[in-house]
Amino acid sequence: MQFDELDAIRAFCRDLSKGDSRAAELAAARQQMLTKPPGSLGRLEELAIWLARWQGRDRPRLDRVAINVFAGNHGVAARGVSAYPAEVTAQMVANFSAGGAAINQIARLAGADLKVEAIELDRPTRDFVTAAAMDADEFLRAVDIGYRSVPEACDLLVVGEMGIANTTAAAALCAALLGGGAERWTGRGTGVDDEGLARKRRTIEAALEFHRDVIADPLRAAACFGGRELAAIAGSVLAARRRGVAVLLDGFVATAALLPLTRLADDALDHCRAGHVSAE
């Protein structure tokens, strides 16, 4: 296991690679040599420089793109916080494996390698209203799964997730580490009605009160409120940083999963970009 205790993650985040600044400088200089008005390609220019920094070359490439989707089940789903039962997680994983989901088509069109990692779907995390979702060892095992999922040769890593009730876990984690309470962070997720949304918010508020003593510790908060798929995303992003791989994040759950890392190091996500800004 890469991290055998929470302190090992803390130590890792104190000594993060900064990328190749020389490659970034050369990529920026090359922008000025191209036959185009300065800045005319908008964010594409910024993204090219960012990729150059993390790929260590002034002409970045996207020949080897990996998409890693992690799936996990949540004990809190039993409280009716989602429009769908927990069994849907496994059904969606089967759809990914059969090539029937949107991400399969995106991966095919992009020439990317798609890997779906289902993590102990038959053993949901504990209901975080009455207990920590995971203990430290369970959290670290999930982090390790994510860490080991990143290919050695990779130009870009894309991370995503699947897990009924994981927007509840993500909202609880955001509320714990950023404040503002459940109302600020909780959306409809899979499309719950007004009653379901109110129930989801009450569930998160109860969990925040129950775990109020751990909120100051970002990794303990990640274990208490999160899920195995969230922990695996964090592990994969740490591995990408060690290997100098740029990362594209998909949506609210994937970004919430990395919030604890930003509490350990302000620059923890310098090698990451958000693929989109989702409704939640």
Side-chain angles (χ1 to χ4, degrees):
M1 184 180 291
Q2 176 66 32
F3 304 109
D4 56 3
E5 58 182 4
L6 296 181
D7 278 344
I9 298 178
R10 297 185 180 102
F12 183 98
C13 290
R14 287 194 294 268
D15 187 28
L16 294 171
S17 151
K18 307 300 182 186
D20 189 331
S21 58
R22 179 58 178 163
E25 291 168 1
L26 290 171
R30 184 169 181 270
Q31 296 286 350
Q32 307 309 311
M33 299 169 57
L34 300 177
T35 308
K36 63 175 182 61
S40 61
L41 296 182
R43 286 200 68 210
L44 286 176
E45 297 183 14
E46 170 200 332
L47 291 170
I49 296 168
W50 168 70
L51 282 170
R53 172 180 292 276
W54 296 106
Q55 292 185 2
R57 52 195 176 207
D58 64 329
R59 298 191 183 193
R61 298 191 298 271
L62 292 176
D63 299 329
R64 301 165 300 181
V65 177
I67 302 175
N68 288 356
V69 176
F70 301 99
N73 272 324
H74 298 257
V76 74
R79 293 184 177 269
V81 295
S82 173
Y84 300 100
E87 291 77 17
V88 170
T89 302
Q91 293 169 13
M92 285 299 298
V93 168
N95 193 30
F96 294 147
S97 300
I103 188 58
N104 297 98
Q105 317 322 317
I106 293 170
R108 178 178 57 82
L109 290 170
D113 294 326
L114 173 63
K115 179 180 180 181
V116 181
E117 184 91 43
I119 309 174
E120 298 187 55
L121 297 187
D122 59 343
R123 192 169 73 92
T125 57
R126 287 176 282 278
D127 176 359
F128 61 53
V129 174
T130 57
M134 297 170 285
D135 62 29
D137 287 341
E138 290 169 323
F139 174 74
L140 289 169
R141 284 198 297 272
V143 169
D144 189 60
I145 287 170
Y147 195 96
R148 290 186 286 104
S149 74
V150 180
E152 289 290 343
C154 186
D155 297 323
L156 178 71
L157 173 69
V158 184
V159 291
E161 42 61 40
M162 175 60 211
I164 294 300
N166 67 8
T167 62
T168 302
L173 188 55
C174 287
L177 296 182
L178 294 174
E183 185 162 357
R184 177 183 179 189
W185 292 104
T186 311
R188 295 184 185 275
T190 49
V192 293
D193 57 18
D194 289 346
E195 182 180 342
L197 180 59
R199 183 165 55 247
K200 188 174 178 180
R201 287 173 173 166
R202 288 195 302 270
T203 296
I204 291 172
E205 287 293 354
L208 292 170
E209 174 61 22
F210 184 82
H211 295 292
R212 62 187 181 277
D213 293 337
V214 310
I215 288 174
D217 184 328
L219 293 181
R220 288 185 65 197
C224 283
F225 296 105
R228 293 185 180 93
E229 76 276 38
L230 277 75
I233 286 172
S236 65
V237 167
L238 290 173
R241 185 59 168 261
R242 172 158 285 176
R243 295 173 187 168
V245 176
V247 180
L248 196 62
L249 309 176
D250 178 36
F252 176 55
V253 176
T255 47
L258 303 176
L259 179 57
L261 301 184
T262 71
R263 286 295 178 264
L264 299 177
D266 291 341
D267 63 345
L269 304 186
D270 281 2
H271 63 309
C272 301
R273 288 291 184 272
H276 66 95
V277 180
S278 55
E280 297 188 56

